[in-house]
Amino acid sequence: MSAPDLSQDTLYVGTSWKMNKTRAQAREFITAMSAWQGVSGVQAFVLPPLTALHEVTGRAKDKVDVWVGAQNGHFAANGAYTGEVSMRQLADAGAAVVEIGHAERRAQFSETDESVALKVRAALDAGLTPVVCIGESALLREQGGFVDFVMGQALQAMSGVSPDEAAKVLLAYEPVWAIGDEGQQATPHAVADVIASLHSAWPMSPVIYGGSVDAGNARDYLDLPGCGGIFVGRAAWEPEGFLELLGIARHVVNARKEIHLST
Ligand code: PGA
């Protein structure tokens, strides 16, 4: 089965739990999310650790409108890759989405633009929606040329993707300097150019923004031209936080619809 085509009229709001949560905590999270019954124009996704994937898909099924996925997968279909899990195995385990090339994986697990491209291809072949992470370091941001750098990363990641398949890929722009506990919140102005450039180069692939997103700044990012959603860590690890962010996305979608109707 192939992954669904994504929509430019939808805001994608996702969270990766990184290496956090037991299965019991995952169950609690999804149970608390039952308040989210789905809203047209907003699509939630959750990427638990692999150990809780089954738990989360099982709990969410028919009850919560959320796509569930993994934080990584191997590009080979199968074989002697001790400790790895293939994209096909992820799909077989119930994943619909897979994150590829997060900055932590690039920095700590030698993920490269080449392996990212292979993984994007493998994910599409397995019928998964790839969430492809790209973003510049603090040094590059300081030196300049970072828009070209991020565009280059995206170009590599998309090198094996046909024009038709571009609508099945989420591009997650996450400046490395904005991610995690040590991260600095980016002003919307500082990230607007990259988002707009990615959007104009791949108009069918929604561009989502990540890096210290929270309830205080989410709307500012979502309002940027070409922004198709947000990708959140810490601020969405409690269900209340995630639900609040989904609510903000719903407001933005409704506001867009009103503007559309009045023009
Ligand atoms: P953060 O993480 O929201 O905690 O900064 C974002 C990410 O790593 O994708």
Side-chain angles (χ1 to χ4, degrees), residues 4-250:
D5 281 354
L6 304 169
S7 163
Q8 290 301 324
D9 296 328
T10 295
L11 290 176
Y12 296 88
V13 178
T15 179
S16 160
W17 294 348
K18 305 193 180 185
M19 201 171 72
N20 294 297
K21 295 194 192 292
T22 60
R23 287 183 305 144
Q25 290 167 330
R27 272 197 298 277
E28 275 172 34
F29 185 104
I30 295 300
T31 303
M33 259 198 81
S34 61
W36 184 252
Q37 294 295 344
V39 166
S40 108
V42 180
Q43 179 60 58
F45 66 92
V46 171
L47 309 180
L50 265 192
T51 46
L53 180 66
H54 184 68
E55 215 75 31
V56 172
T57 51
R59 277 270 140 168
K61 198 171 187 307
D62 303 328
K63 293 192 204 88
V64 187
D65 183 30
V66 62
W67 291 350
V68 184
Q71 302 167 19
N72 178 41
H74 199 274
F75 49 78
N78 56 302
Y81 298 98
T82 299
E84 291 288 322
V85 175
S86 76
M87 300 293 178
R88 285 185 195 175
Q89 289 170 321
L90 293 176
D92 181 51
V97 180
V98 63
E99 182 178 3
I100 297 172
H102 186 273
E104 286 149 17
R105 293 208 56 85
R106 290 180 190 255
Q108 298 166 23
F109 302 98
S110 312
E111 197 84 79
T112 62
D113 286 339
E114 289 73 28
S115 64
V116 167
L118 291 169
K119 289 179 178 199
V120 171
R121 187 61 258 158
L124 290 170
D125 289 341
L128 299 173
T129 298
V131 179
V132 184
C133 300
I134 46 189
E136 80 285 358
S137 65
L139 187 66
L140 254 171
R141 172 57 72 156
E142 239 178 73
Q143 287 173 343
F146 60 89
V147 180
D148 288 346
F149 173 82
V150 178
M151 294 301 283
Q153 278 187 322
L155 204 59
Q156 285 249 27
M158 298 294 273
S159 57
V161 178
S162 72
D164 282 356
E165 288 172 321
K168 300 182 184 302
V169 178
L170 277 166
L171 290 171
Y173 172 45
E174 303 204 306
V176 178
W177 49 271
I179 294 173
D181 284 331
E182 314 276 296
Q184 308 217 330
Q185 280 189 9
T187 62
H189 176 72
V191 297
D193 280 358
V194 178
I195 291 174
S197 301
L198 288 167
H199 178 63
S200 78
W202 288 279
M204 304 307 286
S205 309
V207 179
I208 60 178
Y209 178 74
S212 297
V213 174
D214 60 26
N217 60 24
R219 176 150 200 165
D220 294 337
Y221 297 125
L222 289 169
D223 278 339
L224 289 172
C227 186
I230 43 177
F231 194 24
V232 192
R234 291 157 297 156
W237 287 345
E238 294 302 328
E240 299 74 26
F242 193 39
L243 286 168
E244 190 175 2
L245 290 162
L246 287 164
I248 292 169
R250 179 171 44 195

